[in-house]
Amino acid sequence: MNSLNIAWLMIRRTLGRKRGVIAFLLLPCLVVTGAVALFGSEQAGRAVIPYVNMDQGAAGTWMIKELSRMKEYSFKPMSSETEVKSDVVRQKGNMGLVIPAGYTQSLLHGEQASIELIEMRVSESSYILRAAVQGAADGLKQTAAAVRTFSSVSSVNGAAVSSDEKFEQVLQEAGRHTLSGEALNLQLYPKPGLNNVTGFTIMFMMGLLTSAVAVIMEDRKQRTMARMYTAPVRSYEIALGNFLGSLAIGIIQIVLVLGISRWVLQYDAGIPFGTHFLILGAFMLVSMGLASTVSGLIRETKNASMLNSLIIVPTCMIGGCFWPLSIMPNYMQKLANFVPQKWTIQAVETISAGGTLADITLPLLILTVMAVILLAVGSVILRPDQPGMDA
């Protein structure tokens, strides 16, 4: 009961003030909204492809029409090859496409013909487009070879058929796509931008750590803890009470953030609500355990303001909240195994890529162990009978 009373008091002191509602409920929702707008928008992720079609035949037109069916790209027509290169250099386009003059005739005559692709740097989207262009070009070569064979046979039989007309007819028929496949979301990879959205979400969720520490330090300064200690109240009850109070606020925050991102912003992370809540809840447990530990170590109120620069921001950077872990040095990637952000993001991405709860057993287990250890350490070193150096 002592722990529950302390928890309820902490909830009232945190959310009972306008500043607390803004800092721990409104601000995280605004940050998640911004993160979804920046990193979660599918439209913003479309690659712009400036192109010029200098071919006067059917092959160039068919190529552009087929590539335009890919929803991941936005094709931008240009008047010359120079303009295409200029757009790519000035980064107004992700990749340039140039179809040379006489492309159709080169195919029909069996001559070497290639489409030029212009890019400043290799990326996933440019690699996929290059593969699509190569596949379509190979299909055009095979079609042109079949038309040449048919035209030769027709000439021998005395029925002259224009290669250009037959080639155009075949491409028109192929462009109807009477036989087509069904696009399935196989969830082989996490949703693009999910890493950043999750990273910014858990970073601001860690703001509760600062709140919990500030409340505990205030109790130290006003000797509230010392009075509770003489009641008597055990140190683990005080640590557990602050833990439960912060956890309750965290649950409210998680539900609010997930609700806004899913049902207001219509952001589909590819994760069931319950699983997403479970992962973020496990991270919140670690944050609260960390708050208990830090509160036991800090003896001066002014030092509580250093949490952002010494704990929250550095661990978020190491854990991959702002950038992929793969671009970090090897020793930094190994160090990331000791921060909860890394395991939280890994669990979210695994589920988004089609995984199940069984696939994230290890990350959830590690987060749980971290929370238990930190809470145990915090209950031992809290020392509620010591009022603090600035009391």
Side-chain angles (χ1 to χ4, degrees):
M1 286 298 296
N2 291 327
S3 298
L4 295 180
N5 290 331
I6 296 174
W8 174 242
L9 178 62
M10 186 172 190
I11 294 174
R12 290 179 56 187
R13 292 168 64 183
T14 303
L15 298 182
R17 297 176 295 181
K18 183 184 299 184
R19 180 180 178 182
V21 174
I22 294 176
F24 304 114
L25 297 182
L26 181 60
L27 185 59
C29 293
L30 293 177
V31 171
V32 171
T33 301
V36 170
L38 289 174
F39 306 109
S41 175
E42 295 182 359
Q43 184 68 23
R46 295 184 65 187
V48 178
I49 310 297
Y51 75 91
V52 58
N53 180 19
M54 295 183 289
D55 181 37
Q56 301 298 322
T61 303
W62 183 86
M63 174 68 74
I64 297 299
K65 183 178 179 181
E66 286 300 300
L67 294 177
S68 298
R69 290 167 51 87
M70 304 175 67
K71 297 180 180 180
E72 298 85 357
Y73 303 94
S74 175
F75 288 85
K76 177 183 177 182
M78 310 297 289
S79 58
S80 66
E81 181 178 352
T82 303
E83 292 185 3
V84 173
K85 293 181 178 179
S86 177
D87 266 24
V88 174
V89 170
R90 291 184 296 173
Q91 298 185 356
K92 290 185 176 181
N94 300 74
M95 188 176 187
L97 180 68
V98 178
I99 301 178
Y103 180 61
T104 301
Q105 294 302 318
S106 298
L107 291 173
L108 292 174
H109 294 156
E111 300 174 355
Q112 184 67 26
S114 60
I115 296 176
E116 182 181 2
L117 295 172
I118 305 170
E119 56 185 332
M120 291 285 290
R121 59 183 182 273
V122 178
S123 62
E124 180 181 357
S125 61
S126 66
Y127 184 84
I128 294 175
L129 180 62
R130 181 179 292 275
V133 171
Q134 185 62 44
D138 291 342
L140 286 173
K141 290 179 182 178
Q142 295 175 6
T143 302
V147 169
R148 288 199 307 271
T149 302
F150 177 80
S151 299
S152 301
V153 174
S154 299
S155 299
V156 172
N157 295 333
V161 178
S162 172
S163 297
D164 291 345
E165 294 179 0
K166 189 62 180 177
F167 186 57
E168 185 174 356
Q169 291 175 4
V170 173
L171 293 182
Q172 288 178 354
E173 189 64 27
R176 294 178 182 178
H177 295 281
T178 53
L179 292 177
S180 60
E182 180 181 357
L184 299 175
N185 183 11
L186 301 179
Q187 288 188 299
L188 298 178
Y189 301 95
K191 185 179 180 67
L194 181 61
N195 176 77
N196 299 103
V197 173
T198 304
F200 279 96
T201 300
I202 62 180
M203 183 185 70
F204 276 84
M205 284 174 57
M206 290 192 75
L208 285 175
L209 185 148
T210 306
S211 171
V213 173
V215 170
I216 294 175
M217 293 305 300
E218 183 180 351
D219 288 343
R220 281 182 181 277
K221 183 177 182 180
Q222 297 180 358
R223 299 181 181 272
T224 303
M225 277 194 174
R227 290 193 296 270
M228 285 191 297
Y229 182 77
T230 59
V233 179
R234 299 179 183 272
S235 60
Y236 81 87
E237 290 181 315
I238 298 175
L240 181 61
N242 287 284
F243 175 85
L244 292 176
S246 299
L247 180 62
I249 299 173
I251 291 175
I252 297 174
Q253 188 182 78
I254 293 173
V255 173
L256 191 60
V257 166
L258 291 182
I260 289 179
S261 62
R262 286 171 178 268
W263 298 305
V264 178
L265 302 178
Q266 300 296 317
Y267 177 69
D268 181 16
I271 307 174
F273 181 88
T275 305
H276 207 169
F277 177 86
L278 177 63
I279 296 172
L280 295 181
F283 175 79
M284 184 59 65
L285 288 175
V286 181
S287 297
M288 296 305 99
L290 183 60
S292 299
T293 301
V294 172
S295 300
L297 296 174
I298 295 179
R299 289 290 180 263
E300 296 186 37
T301 306
K302 63 181 181 180
N303 294 335
S305 60
M306 301 171 62
L307 286 175
N308 283 321
S309 58
L310 294 181
I311 296 180
I312 297 179
V313 175
T315 56
C316 285
M317 295 172 65
I318 296 174
C321 291
F322 310 130
W323 45 70
L325 292 176
S326 57
I327 69 173
M328 293 167 49
N330 289 332
Y331 74 93
M332 293 291 287
Q333 295 184 30
K334 294 179 181 179
L335 188 60
N337 293 324
F338 297 94
V339 298
Q341 291 90 331
K342 185 253 188 181
W343 299 106
T344 304
I345 294 175
Q346 178 178 317
V348 169
E349 290 186 334
T350 299
I351 296 297
S352 179
T356 61
L357 280 176
D359 298 319
I360 61 172
T361 301
L362 179 60
L364 291 180
L365 181 61
I366 291 176
L367 290 174
T368 302
V369 171
M370 285 182 176
V372 172
I373 292 176
L374 289 171
L375 180 59
V377 172
S379 64
V380 172
I381 67 175
L382 185 60
R383 298 177 184 177
D385 57 324
Q386 295 185 7
M389 297 179 62
D390 54 356

